[in-house]
Amino acid sequence: MADQLAIGSRRGLKPALPLLLPAYLWLTVAIFLPLSAMVFFSFMTDLPLAGKEWTFTLGNYAAFFSQSLYSTLLLSSLRLGLEVTLWCVVIGYPAAYVLAKVLKGRSREAIFLLVILPFWSNGLVRIFSWAMVLREGGILDTALNAVLPFKINIDLMYSYPAVIIGLVHSYVPYMVLTCYLTLQAIDDSLIEAGRSLGASRRQVLWRVIIPLSMPGLIAGAALIFVPVVGSFMEPRILGGRTGTFYGTVIEDQFVAVFNWPLGAALSFILLAVVLIILALAAPVLRRAG
Amino acid sequence: MAGVQVANVSRSFGAHKALDNVSIDFADGGFYALLGPSGSGKTTLLRQIAGFDFPDSGRIAIGGESVERVPVEKRRIGMVFQNYALFPNMSVADNVAFGLSVRGEAKATIATEVQRALDLVQLGKLGGRKPHQLSGGQRQRVALARAIVTKPRVLLLDEPLGALDKALRVDMQIELKRIQREIGITTIFVTHDQEEALTMSDRIGILRDGRLVQEGPPEEIYDRPQSEFAATFLGDANIFRGDATGSGIKLPDGTTIAASTGASVPAGAKASCAVRPERIRISTGATKPDPAGANMLTGQVSKRIFAGNNSTYFVDRDGQTLKVIVQNTGAERLAEGQPVVLSWSPGSTVLIAAA
Ligand SMILES: Nc1ncnc2c1ncn2[C@@H]1O[C@H](COP(=O)(O)OP(=O)(O)OP(=O)(O)O)[C@@H](O)[C@H]1O
Ligand SMILES: [Mg+2]
């Protein structure tokens, strides 16, 4: 019996190879090659275009450490990532809980659709529609002034809150989806067992439901934090002058200044910092979960 | 500890009456089995007592105190779920400690109480394991330890042994009964398994379509079922239907069957008689005659099923198949197709009024 099983698993790998090949090819072409090129660029003095002279250098990385601007921007981007992630937890987790544990049948499907709708709309459209809502004399301003007896002036456009609102709106569906999946897998009888043992609803939430949905929270947080730290579109459009972040500086290197080597180096520094943060956070979060 | 009084409780889901005017008095310290076919409302009744669900009408009291407006966590009940519902993220000890810890007991108290509960279910050494590292029977014990460590007033069990295999089930039945006696807790036990209900409980309640059909000690329900349903659901029974004569019934073919237990039914009314298969004597008719007054029928063996310590004979008689169980005493076995005489005493015949 054991022999048969062993043979079975050894035979199982070979036929799988042709099936795996397209995936590996795709990974090589789409991720590994461009990334290697970028690593290469990040050590060059200039782009090897139009016959320009170039040599290898560490200067692009040194620039990050010699100019405090970059690390300041990186810190504010990390703070942005943290804040957006927190808001996504605050908004997304309760929504996921209601979807998974309170609503049933038809209404669940309908609400689910509303939650993932932003996924299906174009990112730029999404951001510009927020711009229309948030600007002075915009939809929010007009609506509030129509309802409220006194005159207020809402001009959130080109501010830090506008950036947060835009980013939270873009990324909250990730949190809802990952949390929904883990919450839905929690058997209702666990909740009832907790109650029967004398725990209030709140105690059951803190001691049973949240620990059991930790994997979803962590996955959601990672999915949101990483891209938000490097984001540039929302900060640029909704943040205006206040919207200068690490991601927008990198973008500038690529599309405006054409200093690809510096942009690449800054990107890899960001990647390293994010990986270090995730590595440091992992054991803490695992213990919590 | 406390008894539980359920009085005129009804609960409907839409148009479906899951519980229909159910009243049961669960005595303090007793072991009560709720028995009934699937969908008869057993779980629903248990959930009303636990407080997971609330009756549309009727009253529920635990220890004399009305609990209709008391939420689950304040009712001081212990519940064992069919799928055990152990917290997968916690160790066995933490699972058992949960109820004490949410109450804010001191760490030292919790540790001793948890150890005592785990010792009681004979799992003293496994406190550090996670639930997924346990066998089905061990999980069952953890669930039980977790439910009783808080010293609840009532222990509610919803088919707790349903997922175990036969041998383990019997072990756990004995174990559960021992623990229940040791701590003397009022226990309400839902089961599908009639044998389990008979062997374990002080009293049995049979539910059908949300109504309580009959209620009483196991012997009473088995020996004096009040309905055909109770007779056939708890154990096996041969049912004869006819017209009451005052001292039994008369079958459509004119045969009379005398019955001296059960309901009293006025002569002429429709009635039936129930006879347990093991109460019937089967013979070829050549041996000594039965005592005077015994019920007697003739028939033909259609099938015999040998089960080691006993045999079941299926006897065809006038379009009806009767079941007879004979202990394996080494006496000669009857062949299929053989004409036989069946006899049993009126005392073994239960008269049942037609529904
Ligand atoms: N939440 C609910 N919504 C609608 N109908 C329900 C609900 N809970 C129970 N019912 C119905 O009430 C009836 C009794 O259900 P219940 O779960 O009490 O049966 P049971 O006796 O425990 O059956 P089983 O032995 O299969 O567990 C069933 O017909 C069931 O479909
Ligand atoms: Mg049930």
Side-chain angles (χ1 to χ4, degrees), chain B residues 46-210:
Chain B
L46 215 58
R47 292 173 64 81
Q48 314 297 315
I49 298 172
F52 295 132
D53 191 30
F54 296 92
D56 300 328
S57 62
R59 301 178 50 75
I60 296 174
I62 300 177
E65 163 210 356
S66 175
V67 293
E68 283 103 59
R69 297 278 153 261
V70 181
V72 189
E73 63 266 28
K74 300 258 166 63
R75 288 197 184 188
R76 296 204 284 128
I77 51 130
M79 177 116 184
V80 176
F81 295 81
Q82 179 162 13
N83 64 357
Y84 316 134
L86 299 178
F87 305 124
N89 54 324
M90 300 181 200
S91 68
V92 165
D94 286 344
N95 262 281
V96 178
F98 185 88
L100 298 171
S101 135
V102 294
R103 233 193 249 168
E105 303 270 357
K107 280 234 160 61
T109 325
I110 294 179
T112 37
E113 290 294 321
V114 166
Q115 194 55 47
R116 187 180 308 164
L118 284 176
D119 286 340
L120 187 68
V121 296
Q122 302 176 352
L123 284 181
K125 294 197 183 66
L126 299 187
R129 293 221 193 146
K130 284 282 180 74
H132 67 87
Q133 297 168 317
L134 300 177
S135 72
Q138 289 168 335
R139 277 178 220 182
Q140 174 57 54
R141 286 161 203 252
V142 176
L144 185 60
R146 184 179 69 174
I148 58 180
V149 75
T150 54
K151 305 221 161 43
R153 300 184 290 180
V154 187
L155 183 59
L156 305 171
L157 305 111
D158 193 356
E159 304 198 35
L161 310 179
L164 304 181
D165 66 49
K166 183 77 188 161
L168 194 54
R169 215 179 153 107
V170 173
D171 283 351
M172 283 303 299
Q173 286 171 5
I174 296 169
E175 186 90 338
L176 185 59
K177 192 69 196 163
R178 172 182 70 80
I179 292 167
Q180 192 264 339
R181 278 219 196 89
E182 214 164 300
I183 58 180
I185 187 172
T186 312
T187 302
I188 306 174
F189 183 95
V190 166
T191 176
H192 256 117
D193 184 335
Q194 37 147 318
E195 203 178 305
E196 198 165 272
L198 284 170
T199 53
M200 295 182 74
S201 44
D202 311 325
R203 287 179 87 86
I204 295 175
I206 298 182
L207 285 170
R208 181 195 196 186
D209 297 338

Side-chain angles (χ1 to χ4, degrees), chain B residues 252-320:
Chain B
D253 68 357
T255 319
T256 56
I257 292 178
S260 64
T261 49
S264 59
V265 183
K270 291 275 175 216
S272 40
C273 284
V275 188
R276 299 290 180 195
E278 70 276 11
R279 297 289 184 92
I280 299 179
R281 218 166 72 84
I282 187 168
S283 67
T284 54
T287 47
K288 71 173 164 53
D290 282 282
N295 290 308
M296 215 173 304
L297 289 175
T298 55
Q300 198 176 25
V301 175
S302 66
K303 198 169 163 192
R304 178 172 70 89
I305 295 173
F306 177 68
N309 64 350
N310 66 50
S311 294
T312 303
Y313 289 99
F314 291 88
V315 178
D316 282 344
R317 183 235 156 230
D318 197 17
Q320 191 178 10

Side-chain angles (χ1 to χ4, degrees), chain A residues 72-140:
Chain A
T72 312
L73 283 177
L74 180 56
L75 275 182
S76 58
S77 278
L78 289 174
R79 186 184 133 206
L80 180 70
L82 209 61
E83 270 185 54
V84 169
T85 308
L86 278 179
W87 281 111
C88 285
V89 171
V90 168
I91 296 169
Y93 190 83
Y97 182 85
V98 170
L99 271 174
K101 291 290 171 211
V102 182
L103 296 177
K104 299 269 181 282
R106 273 253 117 99
S107 50
R108 175 189 287 182
E109 288 164 24
I111 305 279
F112 213 103
L113 205 67
L114 286 180
V115 169
I116 57 174
L117 217 52
F119 267 168
W120 297 344
S121 62
N122 179 282
L124 269 175
V125 171
R126 211 155 53 210
I127 296 167
F128 277 112
S129 41
W130 272 114
M132 300 214 315
V133 171
L134 297 175
R135 71 163 202 271
E136 185 177 13
I139 296 172
L140 184 65

Side-chain angles (χ1 to χ4, degrees), chain A residues 3-284:
Chain A
D3 278 354
Q4 273 176 357
L5 281 178
I7 290 167
S9 64
R10 219 177 302 142
R11 276 209 345 229
L13 198 61
K14 256 189 205 154
L17 272 180
L19 297 175
L20 287 171
L21 215 58
Y24 280 120
L25 268 177
W26 168 249
L27 279 178
T28 313
V29 173
I31 296 179
F32 188 70
L33 288 180
L35 216 58
S36 322
M38 278 297 157
V39 174
F40 190 64
F41 286 160
S42 73
F43 289 105
M44 291 161 75
T45 49
D46 207 339
L47 271 187
L49 295 173
K52 276 192 248 175
E53 288 293 311
W54 61 273
T55 49
F56 282 113
T57 176
L58 288 173
N60 298 314
Y61 288 92
F64 177 86
F65 295 98
S66 58
Q67 294 184 38
S68 67
L69 170 71
Y70 294 125
S71 44
T72 312
L73 283 177
L74 180 56
L75 275 182
S76 58
S77 278
L78 289 174
R79 186 184 133 206
L80 180 70
L82 209 61
E83 270 185 54
V84 169
T85 308
L86 278 179
W87 281 111
C88 285
V89 171
V90 168
I91 296 169
Y93 190 83
Y97 182 85
V98 170
L99 271 174
K101 291 290 171 211
V102 182
L103 296 177
K104 299 269 181 282
R106 273 253 117 99
S107 50
R108 175 189 287 182
E109 288 164 24
I111 305 279
F112 213 103
L113 205 67
L114 286 180
V115 169
I116 57 174
L117 217 52
F119 267 168
W120 297 344
S121 62
N122 179 282
L124 269 175
V125 171
R126 211 155 53 210
I127 296 167
F128 277 112
S129 41
W130 272 114
M132 300 214 315
V133 171
L134 297 175
R135 71 163 202 271
E136 185 177 13
I139 296 172
L140 184 65
D141 198 29
T142 316
L144 279 178
N145 278 313
V147 176
L148 294 174
F150 49 89
K151 173 90 184 134
I152 54 162
N153 207 349
I154 298 245
D155 183 13
L156 281 173
M157 198 54 193
Y158 305 130
S159 70
Y160 187 68
V163 177
I164 298 266
I165 290 174
L167 282 169
V168 168
H169 180 234
S170 297
Y171 286 99
V172 80
Y174 288 103
M175 187 58 79
V176 176
L177 285 179
T178 55
C179 290
Y180 173 79
L181 290 178
T182 47
L183 281 167
Q184 201 213 25
I186 299 175
D187 197 328
D188 285 346
S189 68
L190 291 180
I191 298 170
E192 294 189 340
R195 302 281 311 280
S196 76
L197 290 164
S200 63
R201 282 174 196 279
R202 179 184 300 228
Q203 282 174 314
V204 169
L205 179 69
W206 282 104
R207 287 167 177 251
V208 178
I209 299 173
I210 290 181
L212 284 174
S213 47
M214 209 34 111
L217 278 166
I218 293 173
L223 281 177
I224 293 167
F225 180 75
V226 176
V228 166
V229 172
S231 65
F232 54 86
M233 213 155 62
E234 288 87 351
R236 176 143 296 166
I237 300 170
L238 296 172
R241 257 186 314 111
T242 63
T244 307
F245 287 93
Y246 197 73
T248 57
V249 169
I250 294 177
E251 192 212 4
D252 281 341
Q253 305 312 313
F254 283 99
V255 302
V257 190
F258 282 107
N259 191 349
W260 283 31
L262 181 59
L266 291 177
S267 300
F268 284 111
I269 289 169
L270 173 62
L271 182 63
V273 168
V274 164
L275 286 179
I276 290 170
I277 291 175
L278 290 184
L280 289 179
V284 180

